[in-house]
Amino acid sequence: MTVTHGRPLTADITDILVTHCGLDADAAARAPAASLEELGMDSLALLELSAVVADRWQVRIPEQTGQLSIAAVAELVARRAEPPGHTENSVHIAAPLPLVWDVTNDVAGWPRLFTEYALAEILHRDGDTVRFRLTMHPDENGIAWSWVSERTADPATREVWAHRVEPGPFEYMRIHWRYAEEAGGTRMTWVQDFAMKATAPVGNAEMTDRINANSAVQLAVIKEKIERLAAGTGAGDE
């Protein structure tokens, strides 16, 4: 249940609908799964709801809100009102910075470097900018997720800026990679800033946890493969 200030957000949305939009509170209580349209909310009522929600939570709700139940509207508002996602993860790799830079920026070779990617297709190159499609290994439901991203590497500053061109469940996804020489090797840092769409199956907080967990796994794999390569005992094989 979504709660704000100790009170269920569904109660707040219900109060707005009753006070500003003419909702019959008893009818809503009898049919909690009914859509707003089924509860008699017309286009003018939905416009009023949208205006009050925007004023109270600085959140815009879509025109299709009439097809949602009060609980679903509350979840939508909560999702859009939560802070955007932000993660920062890093790893120390016992290898020279030029080697770490070259291996991790070889996008075509990512399926050999990461455990999650089945395919990396280069779609376009323009100087240090590359547009590419990533396809993951099928998940537990047999779905192979795929999307297009674009990434620009700056060899002078040892930084990379990337974003999803096809955001999928994200409103946006921006990624910043940093590299720095440290004693005994290289520090590689990934920073990701994003927001999930209201229709996504998870919110910003849950996706933050997922990205942090997966980043730890992938960074450990990359560290092991590059260190083996640097030691001359392997070529980053899977």
Side-chain angles (χ1 to χ4, degrees):
M1 178 182 294
T2 302
V3 177
T4 56
H5 306 296
R7 186 170 190 257
L9 188 54
T10 51
D12 289 333
I13 299 298
T14 300
D15 285 352
I16 293 170
L17 289 165
V18 170
T19 304
H20 298 274
C21 308
L23 174 70
D24 182 334
D26 291 335
R30 289 193 300 270
S35 70
L36 298 187
E37 290 177 349
E38 291 169 338
L39 292 172
M41 299 293 94
D42 60 17
S43 59
L44 289 178
L46 296 176
L47 282 174
E48 184 65 21
L49 172 64
S50 178
V52 176
V53 166
D55 180 65
R56 186 172 300 184
W57 291 289
Q58 291 73 55
V59 169
R60 296 179 63 86
I61 56 178
E63 296 178 1
Q64 298 82 359
T65 301
Q67 301 168 15
L68 302 178
S69 67
I70 293 175
V73 172
E75 183 63 30
L76 174 63
V77 172
R79 182 79 62 80
R80 294 195 168 188
E82 70 176 335
H86 173 83
T87 67
E88 181 166 339
N89 294 275
S90 71
V91 67
H92 179 273
I93 302 173
L97 192 154
L99 176 63
V100 177
W101 175 268
D102 289 344
V103 172
T104 57
N105 284 289
D106 176 18
V107 175
W110 278 6
R112 298 188 300 275
L113 187 63
F114 292 79
T115 63
E116 57 189 335
Y117 301 135
L119 185 65
E121 304 170 83
I122 305 302
L123 304 178
H124 180 72
R125 288 187 185 275
D126 183 8
D128 291 317
T129 298
V130 58
R131 180 170 291 203
F132 53 98
R133 175 174 293 281
L134 289 174
T135 302
M136 301 184 75
H137 293 289
D139 62 16
E140 62 274 11
N141 299 311
I143 300 174
W145 298 100
S146 180
W147 66 90
V148 173
S149 290
E150 189 169 277
R151 137 188 206 97
T152 300
D154 186 343
T157 62
R158 299 299 193 185
E159 293 183 280
V160 181
W161 300 91
H163 68 278
R164 282 199 182 199
V165 177
E166 295 177 354
F170 296 92
E171 288 280 358
Y172 63 88
M173 166 60 84
R174 295 189 285 268
I175 307 171
H176 179 206
W177 291 31
R178 302 194 306 266
Y179 301 75
E181 290 183 325
E182 284 190 351
T186 303
R187 171 71 56 181
M188 182 173 68
T189 302
W190 296 345
V191 178
Q192 292 174 264
D193 291 288
F194 61 91
M196 305 306 296
K197 291 179 178 175
T199 54
V202 299
N204 296 340
E206 185 173 346
M207 182 55 72
T208 296
D209 291 341
R210 291 189 180 191
I211 289 175
N212 279 329
N214 185 60
S215 293
V217 171
Q218 298 304 320
L219 286 170
V221 169
I222 290 171
K223 170 182 171 68
E224 189 265 338
K225 289 182 176 180
I226 296 180
E227 288 181 351
R228 281 170 43 207
L229 185 64
T233 58
D237 298 330
E238 291 187 83

